[in-house]
Amino acid sequence: MAVAFLLLFLVIAIPVWFAVRVMRHPEKDRGMRRVMALQRGTEYEKGMQKFFMLSYLFTGLSFVMAAVLEEVFGMERFLSLLIPAFALGMLLNIAKWRFTGEFSKAGLVTFAIGLVFTIVYLILK
């Protein structure tokens, strides 16, 4: 029980720590350093900073959601990981579009593949 609590704490604490770090010290985050090197303007950098913050938080939330789906609802492990991964891809595409105005074609293709894979898996199961 203690090990499970420690793992849950780490799964929650690490993404929160990354999100706080990217908001307070964006120059320490590898992704933000790449964005700053592009020199596309302050507004774009602020949008990407918010995107990275939400990316870290959504990733941590998806791990917690996978554990809840598996333990509380009794789903099998693969499906309990597939659903949060699909939701994470959708949320990250929406967040990037919202904060930067860019819509990733690769993200859209990945999202579509994840949707088809989830539906096929649920039908064949």
Side-chain angles (χ1 to χ4, degrees):
M1 181 69 175
V3 174
F5 179 74
L6 179 64
L7 287 175
L8 182 63
F9 175 75
L10 287 176
V11 164
I12 294 172
I14 291 173
V16 169
W17 179 71
F18 277 134
V20 169
R21 186 182 74 168
V22 80
M23 285 308 287
R24 288 191 177 175
H25 305 288
E27 67 278 355
K28 291 183 179 181
D29 190 66
R30 185 182 318 155
M32 276 305 295
R33 283 196 302 257
R34 282 190 229 129
V35 169
M36 289 176 186
L38 292 175
Q39 296 182 355
R40 293 182 70 181
T42 308
E43 186 176 319
Y44 181 78
E45 286 180 12
K46 290 290 182 187
M48 285 302 290
Q49 190 176 12
K50 290 178 185 176
F51 168 72
F52 284 132
M53 182 192 71
L54 285 179
S55 172
Y56 292 134
L57 293 176
F58 286 158
T59 302
L61 183 65
S62 70
F63 283 124
V64 171
M65 184 178 159
V68 167
L69 286 174
E70 185 176 347
E71 293 299 320
V72 175
F73 296 110
M75 288 185 175
E76 61 184 62
R77 178 165 291 155
F78 182 71
L79 188 58
S80 70
L81 289 172
L82 187 63
I83 292 172
F86 169 68
L88 177 65
M90 181 181 62
L91 289 173
L92 291 180
N93 273 333
I94 292 170
K96 188 168 186 179
W97 183 36
R98 165 72 173 91
F99 291 126
T100 64
E102 294 179 349
F103 194 75
S104 173
K105 291 178 184 174
L108 180 63
V109 169
T110 305
F111 173 74
I113 290 171
L115 177 63
V116 168
F117 191 66
T118 304
I119 291 171
V120 168
Y121 182 78
L122 289 173
I123 289 173
L124 294 178
K125 183 181 177 234

